[in-house]
Amino acid sequence: MVQQADLDRTFAALADPTRRTMLERLGRGSATVSELAEPLGISLTGVKKHLHVLEEAGLVSTEKVGRSRHCRLGTERLDDAMAWIGFYQRLWERRLDGLDTWFTLQKGTDR
Amino acid sequence: MVQQADLDRTFAALADPTRRTMLERLGRGSATVSELAEPLGISLTGVKKHLHVLEEAGLVSTEKVGRSRHCRLGTERLDDAMAWIGFYQRLWERRLDGLDTWFTLQKGTDR
């Protein structure tokens, strides 16, 4: 069963362009916090805050290796988020179908 | 081209269980603000705040009819959100493939 709190955390984590960029970067391979920070042009503290949000959502996992922290994509595959959006899209299509039927019925009445 | 600010608004709008419930309800047909509020057990003011977020994201459209406001699903089909999640999932799979190759190489080395 989908946990609502998990979906909340997932969607909230994705609702930020910096965090999405970080995920795209980690999708190409693991990186240290400094390597993540550099192209983004933001402070290490800023990156760490975003990492915390991503870790809480299971989208990133980090590991302390010596003096640096290594980051990689976490275990979250976003299946539940994908399923929810798919469900919404089916509702949306059905609404359009409904409108279509309504217009067809109206046309029939107009004749 | 995907507008980052649009994706921010979409994901942020979806990051709340009450707003997701409202979308599911509107997927079954239009409703007034009071009809939306009743099963949620929250105030009209609360519902209006959530509606505002959903409207800004294009997920709901509302129309004043007489003394009540009618709400229905908006024009946003969530295609960009779906595409982004699909892109992430491909990165995620590729990361797994990479790990798989790495394990196979390791096995070869162990022999």
Side-chain angles (χ1 to χ4, degrees):
Chain A
M1 215 193 107
V2 178
Q3 296 296 318
Q4 294 296 335
D6 289 346
L7 265 185
D8 292 358
R9 265 191 293 270
T10 302
F11 284 130
L14 298 179
D16 183 279
T18 304
R19 288 198 288 270
R20 290 196 301 273
T21 304
M22 287 165 72
L23 290 175
E24 287 166 21
R25 167 64 190 82
L26 293 176
R28 295 197 300 276
S30 64
T32 62
V33 177
S34 317
E35 284 166 348
L36 277 179
E38 209 221 312
L40 293 167
I42 57 172
S43 68
L44 289 182
T45 312
V47 168
K48 281 177 190 165
K49 276 184 191 165
H50 284 304
L51 273 176
H52 180 70
V53 177
L54 290 167
E55 270 194 292
E56 288 290 304
L59 290 162
V60 163
S61 70
T62 73
E63 194 189 359
K64 188 98 177 154
V65 181
R67 290 184 62 190
S68 51
R69 181 165 290 279
H70 289 238
C71 316
R72 56 192 179 95
L73 289 189
T75 54
E76 182 54 62
R77 265 182 47 93
L78 296 183
D79 287 343
D80 290 340
M82 191 73 144
W84 195 89
I85 290 180
F87 167 69
Y88 168 88
Q89 288 187 322
R90 286 192 295 281
L91 289 177
W92 201 90
E93 296 290 346
R94 211 158 61 188
R95 175 194 144 236
L96 271 206
D97 284 351
L99 282 179
D100 202 41
T101 311
W102 187 82
F103 281 122
T104 312
L105 285 171
Q106 282 296 103
K107 266 193 201 162
T109 321
D110 290 347
R111 245 180 251 151
Chain B
M1 215 193 108
V2 177
Q3 295 296 320
Q4 295 296 334
D6 289 346
L7 265 185
D8 292 358
R9 264 192 293 270
T10 302
F11 284 131
L14 298 179
D16 182 279
T18 304
R19 288 198 287 270
R20 291 196 301 273
T21 304
M22 286 164 73
L23 289 175
E24 287 168 20
R25 167 63 189 82
L26 293 176
R28 295 196 301 275
S30 64
T32 62
V33 176
S34 316
E35 284 166 348
L36 277 178
E38 210 221 311
L40 294 168
I42 56 173
S43 68
L44 288 182
T45 312
V47 169
K48 281 176 191 166
K49 278 184 192 166
H50 285 305
L51 274 176
H52 180 70
V53 177
L54 291 167
E55 269 194 293
E56 287 292 303
L59 290 162
V60 163
S61 70
T62 72
E63 192 189 0
K64 188 98 176 155
V65 181
R67 290 184 61 189
S68 50
R69 182 165 289 279
H70 289 237
C71 316
R72 57 192 179 93
L73 290 189
T75 54
E76 181 54 64
R77 265 183 48 93
L78 297 183
D79 286 343
D80 290 340
M82 191 73 144
W84 195 90
I85 291 180
F87 167 70
Y88 167 89
Q89 288 188 322
R90 286 192 296 280
L91 290 177
W92 201 89
E93 296 291 344
R94 211 157 63 187
R95 177 195 143 235
L96 272 204
D97 284 350
L99 282 179
D100 202 41
T101 311
W102 187 82
F103 281 123
T104 312
L105 285 171
Q106 281 297 103
K107 263 192 201 165
T109 321
D110 292 348
R111 246 181 250 151

